[in-house]
Amino acid sequence: MARRNYHHGELRAALLDAAEALVRERGADGWSLREASARVGVSSSAAYHHFASRDALVRALRRRVLGELGERLSQEVGRTAGPEAGADHQRRLVAVGRTYVQWAVDDPSVARLAFGAGAPAAGDPASDSTSDAATPPHPHDVLDAELDLLVEVGGLPAAARPGADFVVWAAVHGLATLLVDGLARLDDPRAVAREAERVVRAVLTGLTHEAVPSQGWPTPHSAHTERGAGK
């Protein structure tokens, strides 16, 4: 194996790139830190200067992937018309749903890594590493912001807003999982966007007309929302 010299930050990024390539080839669990090191032409001991273990490398890659997805969602929303008077107020959230599902279908192994088991929980020191933190915006933050905007423009009742982010996410992620795992199939690849749109619009319409019980709905949370709440 030919040895290569890297500046400090370059080796870390190269190891993440190598890990991402291995995930696409073999999945999240079918490779080692030693293999990732060999891919970039360094010894495993050099890799340990950046990642204490293979799990640490996987966690860092997961956070990078989530940061990239959040940026992709944000950019797609930015290309969508704003909430002008008389506009289709749901279209920005439709853009979020379409982009999320298409991303998962196009890159299923990486999508499984991003939302698979083993993500660090709030309070886990690994989840608070500033060097490994996903760069804003996190995908959930994009979804939250668009739902808040929908309430502001009158497209969603304020009473329906608590927990709506998890309702929309459950529907969109559910569609993505069905398609990625082959449990549902669409004959035309272009139909993925249309089906994602239907799911998002159906959920938002249901939220708009739901009867909120007197005791309210359960309040789901995730590792990301717990970190945001400082738990």
Side-chain angles (χ1 to χ4, degrees):
M1 176 180 66
R3 300 295 184 187
R4 294 186 58 185
N5 295 319
Y6 289 89
H7 293 298
H8 186 74
E10 290 177 348
L11 176 54
R12 189 177 187 282
L15 288 166
L16 287 167
D17 291 342
E20 188 167 347
L22 286 163
V23 166
R24 289 193 175 99
E25 293 171 19
R26 307 182 199 170
D29 300 318
W31 50 276
S32 66
L33 181 58
R34 182 183 297 275
E35 288 179 279
S37 303
R39 285 275 177 116
V40 299
V42 300
S43 66
S44 54
S45 60
Y48 283 124
H49 287 295
H50 297 275
F51 302 104
S53 65
R54 178 193 174 283
D55 287 345
L57 174 57
V58 169
R59 286 193 298 267
L61 178 58
R62 178 182 285 118
R63 284 185 283 270
R64 188 176 80 166
V65 167
L66 288 172
E68 291 171 347
L69 174 59
E71 184 62 30
R72 181 171 171 177
L73 296 176
S74 183
Q75 289 176 355
E76 193 62 34
V77 167
R79 287 192 283 267
T80 304
E84 297 88 354
D88 175 2
H89 296 321
Q90 294 182 352
R91 66 187 303 177
R92 291 169 66 90
L93 278 160
V94 167
V96 171
R98 283 176 167 172
T99 305
Y100 185 103
V101 174
Q102 194 65 61
W103 164 78
V105 169
D106 290 344
D107 207 353
S109 295
V110 171
R112 289 191 182 100
L113 170 84
F115 294 105
D124 182 337
S127 71
D128 299 322
S129 170
T130 55
S131 63
D132 288 345
T135 54
H138 188 281
H140 202 123
D141 295 337
V142 178
L143 177 58
D144 266 340
E146 292 306 318
L147 284 166
D148 289 343
L149 180 60
L150 192 62
V151 172
E152 289 177 16
V153 300
L156 182 70
R161 176 62 184 89
D165 43 334
F166 284 93
V167 176
V168 175
W169 183 24
V172 171
H173 187 75
L175 174 60
T177 300
L178 289 172
L179 293 173
V180 167
D181 289 347
L183 298 174
R185 294 182 295 276
L186 295 168
D187 295 332
D188 184 352
R190 294 172 296 181
V192 171
R194 293 171 53 212
E195 189 67 10
E197 176 175 0
R198 182 183 185 186
V199 166
V200 172
R201 291 191 185 279
V203 170
L204 293 176
T205 299
L207 287 170
T208 298
H209 296 289
E210 74 174 355
V212 180
S214 58
Q215 70 272 29
W217 295 114
T219 305
H221 53 87
S222 66
H224 176 72
T225 58
E226 287 176 358
R227 285 195 294 274
K231 292 184 180 180

